[in-house]
Amino acid sequence: MAYDTDNIFAKILRGEIPCDKIYEDDWVLAFNDIAPAAPVHVLVIPKGAYVSMDDFTATASDAEIVGFYKAVGKVARDLSLVEPGYRTLNNTGVHGGQEVPHFHVHIFGGKPLGPMLTRSSFR
Ligand code: 5GP
């Protein structure tokens, strides 16, 4: 699947539409999800143009992959999620339920999340 430069996260990266930014470095942008499924729901996206987890892990450089995952851990740490605990999630492709075709990892936290997570669990 070719990368769609008009996807919503590409527009956020280019500053064409706003986001509620949590963190940014050379490798990633992290921002609050527009429709949170938990009290803390942050999306971490690489600055590079990767469609999915598959694309990212197959074609990104080692530096990008390390930079990305170190940033995911840092964001969770900076949000004080480590001690109470948190969940990371990636959706890939149709069966994975991926909506936005720019690779991203969700960070969920702020309450006990249970064995699974749905939108209705945000209460
Ligand atoms: P996916 O299903 O692709 O793993 O998740 C995409 C996520 O992006 C969803 O949780 C959705 O709420 C979020 N999202 C979609 N459009 C926007 C947007 O314009 N801004 C922000 N902050 N999040 C968005």
Side-chain angles (χ1 to χ4, degrees):
M1 181 182 180
Y3 184 81
D4 171 13
T5 56
D6 283 333
N7 81 76
I8 198 89
F9 293 171
K11 290 179 179 174
I12 286 174
L13 278 171
R14 290 196 296 266
E16 293 168 8
I17 64 169
C19 72
D20 186 11
K21 184 162 83 175
I22 297 288
Y23 175 75
E24 181 173 13
D25 65 18
D26 288 348
W27 306 111
V28 309
L29 180 65
F31 50 91
N32 282 318
D33 196 292
I34 203 166
V40 176
H41 185 172
V42 172
L43 301 169
V44 185
I45 72 174
K47 290 196 166 173
Y50 300 101
V51 175
S52 65
M53 166 74 92
D54 178 64
D55 187 18
F56 186 66
T57 55
T59 62
S61 67
D62 289 357
E64 286 174 293
I65 293 170
V66 169
F68 180 81
Y69 283 102
K70 286 183 84 72
V72 172
K74 176 176 170 49
V75 168
R77 227 173 286 122
D78 289 352
L79 292 171
S80 303
L81 295 175
V82 175
E83 183 55 37
Y86 64 97
R87 177 173 295 157
T88 58
L89 174 76
N90 162 259
N91 297 317
T92 300
V94 175
H95 282 199
Q98 183 176 0
E99 294 171 6
V100 179
H102 181 111
F103 171 53
H104 52 281
V105 165
H106 300 249
I107 301 174
F108 300 105
K111 62 170 274 192
L113 297 168
M116 295 290 286
L117 188 65
T118 66
R119 291 265 187 258
S120 63
S121 68
F122 185 19
R123 291 200 177 89

